[in-house]
Amino acid sequence: MTTTQVHAGGGFSGAVASEWTKLWSVRATWWCLSSGVVLILGFSVILGVTQRISDDRPTGAHGVAATGAFYLAQFAVVALATLFITSEYASGGIRSTLQWVPVRSRVLAAKSAVLAPVLFGYGVVLALAAMALASVVMGPHGLPTSLGAGATTVLGMGAYFALLGLLCLGIGTALRSAAGAMVTVFVLLLMLPLVLAGFAGPDVPNYFPGIAGLNGMIETGARNPVFDGVAPYASWVGTVICAGWAAAALVVGGVVFKRRDA
């Protein structure tokens, strides 16, 4: 193999190709993605049947999809994104990774470049499937979903899953422990916002990544399907808030990654 051939397969593109192969060559990826599909589709059926029986609080197919993503499917994303980095520390594979790609910032950037579009596409497909199934199950008993509301949910879920994956990647890189990273993300998504809401006011949870991501899936001015009331900002603002959390996590993870030994 010539020097030119070696360099052609290296650099950032080579690192991305390597991370792409690693993502799809482990069973955990397929288990996480499959479980997310089963969870959100199962939730769509249950909520759709409930809607047919009792329409005291009617919702549309887009609301069903967003609720299922918040309560269930997002945790499949958390598991996948966390294991994408922490499994290398558990197996010792991170040493091989750094031997082939010694520039640590490039490793994290390559993982991000692979994870974000995969999870965006996953969120889009999941939202479409959940909305379609919920519409069939609910029939005329659910609220109609407009094109704008449906598009907001589809794109919002894709963006939220992508940014949630980057958040988990940053936290997992900093903590190096799958259990520690998952617990931290779980607390950040659900527990901490609810606790702080009792002390600092009911609007505080809207600025944490989980609730902001949910608000990003709901058309501006529409009722939040999980919490009563309307988000205090436009749907795109929720996505921007999630992007801020993801960026902060990646910065922290990157700093720790550079300073610690493998």
Side-chain angles (χ1 to χ4, degrees):
M1 183 178 291
T2 66
T3 303
T4 302
Q5 289 175 313
V6 171
H7 286 300
F12 182 69
S13 61
V16 170
S18 174
E19 296 300 334
W20 176 268
T21 301
K22 284 190 284 186
L23 177 67
W24 296 111
S25 61
V26 295
R27 294 179 182 176
T29 298
W30 299 100
W31 278 110
C32 290
L33 293 177
S34 300
S35 64
V37 172
V38 171
L39 288 171
I40 198 169
L41 293 185
F43 183 88
S44 298
V45 170
I46 293 172
L47 203 59
V49 171
T50 303
Q51 190 75 64
R52 294 178 69 97
I53 297 173
S54 174
D55 56 357
D56 293 337
R57 193 177 180 183
T59 188
H62 62 291
V64 173
T67 306
F70 178 77
Y71 279 130
L72 296 174
Q74 69 171 337
F75 297 107
V77 173
V78 170
L80 186 154
T82 301
L83 291 172
F84 192 36
I85 179 65
T86 58
S87 62
E88 291 199 49
Y89 282 106
S91 66
I94 191 66
R95 297 184 183 89
S96 298
T97 296
L98 293 177
Q99 284 180 341
W100 288 104
V101 187
V103 182
R104 300 195 178 200
S105 58
R106 185 179 296 168
V107 173
L108 196 56
K111 286 183 177 293
S112 300
V114 168
L115 193 62
V118 167
L119 291 180
F120 178 84
Y122 179 64
V124 167
V125 171
L126 220 57
L128 289 171
M131 288 169 57
L133 184 58
S135 296
V136 172
V137 176
M138 289 191 299
H141 299 276
L143 295 177
T145 296
S146 66
L147 179 61
T152 300
T153 299
V154 170
L155 296 177
M157 191 180 300
Y160 175 57
F161 281 5
L163 294 170
L164 177 60
L166 297 181
L167 173 70
C168 296
L169 179 63
I171 293 176
T173 303
L175 297 183
R176 301 187 176 191
S177 164
M182 288 182 191
V183 169
T184 300
V185 173
F186 177 80
V187 170
L188 188 60
L189 293 179
L190 295 179
M191 302 303 296
L192 189 57
L194 296 179
V195 170
L196 290 179
F199 296 97
D203 286 336
V204 172
N206 287 308
Y207 299 94
F208 279 79
I211 313 301
L214 176 63
N215 287 330
M217 300 179 211
I218 305 302
E219 192 175 28
T220 302
R223 181 178 64 84
N224 188 304
V226 176
F227 301 97
D228 290 328
V230 178
Y233 46 69
S235 57
W236 65 268
V237 176
T239 301
V240 171
I241 292 172
C242 291
W245 280 95
L250 286 174
V251 168
V252 172
V255 170
V256 174
F257 194 33
K258 287 182 179 180
R259 293 183 176 180
R260 286 182 181 173
D261 293 333

